Amino acid sequence: MQPYPITAMALCNGMGDSTAAVLAALRAGRSGLGPCPAEFELDAVVGAIPSPLPALPRLLGPVRDTRQARIAAVALAELQAPLERARARWGGDRVAIVLGTSTGGIEASETAYAHAEAHGGALPPDYDVEHSHALDAVLHLARVLGGGLGGPAYVVSTACSSSAKVFASAQRLLAADLCDAVLVGGVDSLCRLTVRGFAGLEVLSSKPCRPFSRERAGINIGEGAALLLVERTGEGPARLLGVGESSDAYHMTSPHPEGLGARLAMERALHHAGLFAGDVDHVNAHGTGTKQNDSMESAAIRAVFAGAAAPAVVATKGYTGHMLGAAGATEIAFVVDAIAGRYLPASVGADPLDDTLAVDVVTARRDVPTRAALSNSFAFGGSNCSVLVGGPA
């Protein structure tokens, strides 16, 4: 595929409510995990945005003013200047929007139905399913707060691979000449359904998660947004080089034990970019901190890089928790910063390593350059995506 520059990005999550705060924490090896909100009534650790979220502009209407929308608005506010430049350069109708989400407005619906239970079945007046809950409710927000983006716009919802797969969508839209720039990313908010749901699956840890550690005991859930601007041409800190997707459909909630779908996604990303395994310096792992994921992902990495120099492996969910539909884009943004800053962030919580996994996990920051990196996202149902990112031309 033709490489496309990533010209801007914005982040907010448990590490901070701005891109600067998030990246400062990443560079310093500082986790954003903390206690689960009391209203969840669960002994768990989560990655919650640490400060209050501003209300949406009144022009958007109260039915759109959900936690998910507020999180997206925080990230969008940081992209006003880059989006204005893109509109001026390409025209608003040539700027597309493709966003990933897993929970959508579930948090808003939980609040609304709690209100209904307490008020004889009446839903609150500032709630409706179409604008408060629906997966695509965030698109209107992006169009308006993006200053009038009029290109193709849609949401991808494939659980935890959602906001990695949007990069494949962006590549296809650009290759088909349907647009010249794409605002991609993901946004999800904490809600009872996901936190309690993962507890029900018995994979939720009551302590900070520890991907690739021999003491790993499960995942934490996080929330946040990551938005990136991919353009046909331009200057930026990194380039989108290739995307690989697969669907192994091994099990509804468990990965293939040998990582066959994960391996295929990574191999397809390399093929898409016309690169070899030896051209990749590090892998940003899906790295959830469960026994199954880290074992199968390590096997897949070893298989892809057999015969090549072993890549450094970075796992970042110890910073944010698993952000579900926002995880993929967040971790790709982390890769962009690592490439730009010529460093590899520490995999918080990984030490002591599980030596049986036999991959080179980065446990302390390394100040080294990266030519190209794979970022992995794997989801329920066997939906796998690997995004290949490289430095500027």
Side-chain angles (χ1 to χ4, degrees):
M1 68 170 264
Q2 173 188 336
Y4 296 112
I6 298 170
T7 58
M9 64 184 192
L11 295 158
C12 67
N13 53 52
M15 300 161 75
D17 60 2
S18 69
T19 306
V22 170
L23 296 182
L26 181 70
R27 295 163 189 165
R30 187 171 61 250
S31 174
L33 298 176
C36 188
E39 61 266 26
F40 283 47
E41 299 177 346
L42 194 66
D43 180 21
V45 170
V46 299
I49 293 173
S51 56
L53 296 164
L56 293 188
R58 296 180 66 180
L59 65 92
L60 289 164
V63 295
R64 298 186 186 275
D65 194 6
T66 65
R67 184 167 183 82
Q68 186 208 30
R70 290 185 180 193
I71 292 171
V74 168
L76 277 164
E78 290 199 49
L79 290 182
Q80 292 304 301
L83 289 173
E84 184 177 351
R85 288 194 294 270
R87 292 195 311 272
R89 182 183 186 191
W90 306 112
D93 290 345
R94 297 288 294 178
V95 182
I97 307 168
V98 189
L99 301 178
T101 185
S102 178
T103 64
I106 290 176
E107 183 271 340
S109 291
E110 290 175 344
T111 301
Y113 278 87
H115 178 281
E117 187 175 4
H119 294 82
L123 292 170
D126 59 352
Y127 172 86
D128 72 52
V129 171
E130 181 182 358
H131 300 106
S132 306
H133 176 106
L135 294 173
D136 64 351
V138 74
L139 288 179
H140 178 75
L141 175 80
R143 283 193 185 279
V144 173
L145 298 187
L149 307 183
Y154 57 94
V155 163
V156 174
S157 188
T158 55
C160 306
S161 62
S162 300
S163 65
K165 289 173 75 70
V166 298
F167 287 83
S169 298
Q171 184 273 327
R172 288 189 285 265
L173 288 169
L174 289 163
D177 196 27
L178 293 173
C179 62
D180 295 301
V182 191
L183 177 64
V184 296
V187 56
D188 260 344
S189 63
L190 288 171
C191 62
R192 291 168 178 79
L193 176 70
T194 50
V195 176
R196 291 179 176 175
F198 278 98
L201 290 172
E202 299 182 343
V203 295
L204 197 69
S205 176
S206 61
K207 298 178 180 179
C209 65
R210 308 186 65 177
F212 295 97
S213 172
R214 67 170 177 258
E215 297 176 0
R216 66 191 187 277
I219 72 171
N220 310 134
I221 303 299
E223 66 178 356
L227 301 176
L228 301 92
L229 185 61
V230 180
E231 299 190 62
R232 184 174 301 283
T233 60
E235 300 295 325
R239 294 179 299 159
L240 174 62
L241 301 181
V243 185
E245 300 172 275
S246 70
S247 182
D248 58 54
Y250 171 75
H251 187 271
M252 185 177 291
T253 59
S254 297
H256 191 286
E258 297 173 13
L260 295 184
R263 175 180 178 177
L264 183 57
M266 287 186 277
E267 290 174 342
R268 285 178 171 170
L270 290 168
H271 179 74
H272 198 200
L275 296 182
F276 298 98
D279 297 318
V280 173
D281 294 317
H282 94 258
V283 175
N284 185 91
H286 187 56
T288 60
T290 65
K291 296 290 186 183
Q292 285 180 302
N293 177 89
D294 297 359
S295 176
M296 78 83 187
E297 188 169 11
S298 297
I301 291 170
R302 294 195 305 269
V304 170
F305 289 89
V313 175
V314 175
T316 57
K317 288 184 174 65
Y319 292 90
T320 63
H322 194 338
M323 295 169 63
L324 307 178
T330 296
E331 293 171 20
I332 291 164
F334 288 170
V335 169
V336 170
D337 191 65
I339 290 172
R342 298 172 66 86
Y343 77 104
L344 299 179
S347 301
V348 172
D351 196 24
L353 290 173
D354 182 347
D355 293 333
T356 67
L357 301 179
V359 290
D360 178 22
V361 178
V362 178
T363 57
R365 173 175 165 145
R366 299 179 190 174
D367 291 306
V368 294
T370 294
R371 296 169 297 165
L374 286 166
S375 189
N376 290 337
S377 297
F378 309 134
F380 283 173
S383 174
N384 308 298
C385 187
S386 188
V387 178
L388 187 59
V389 179

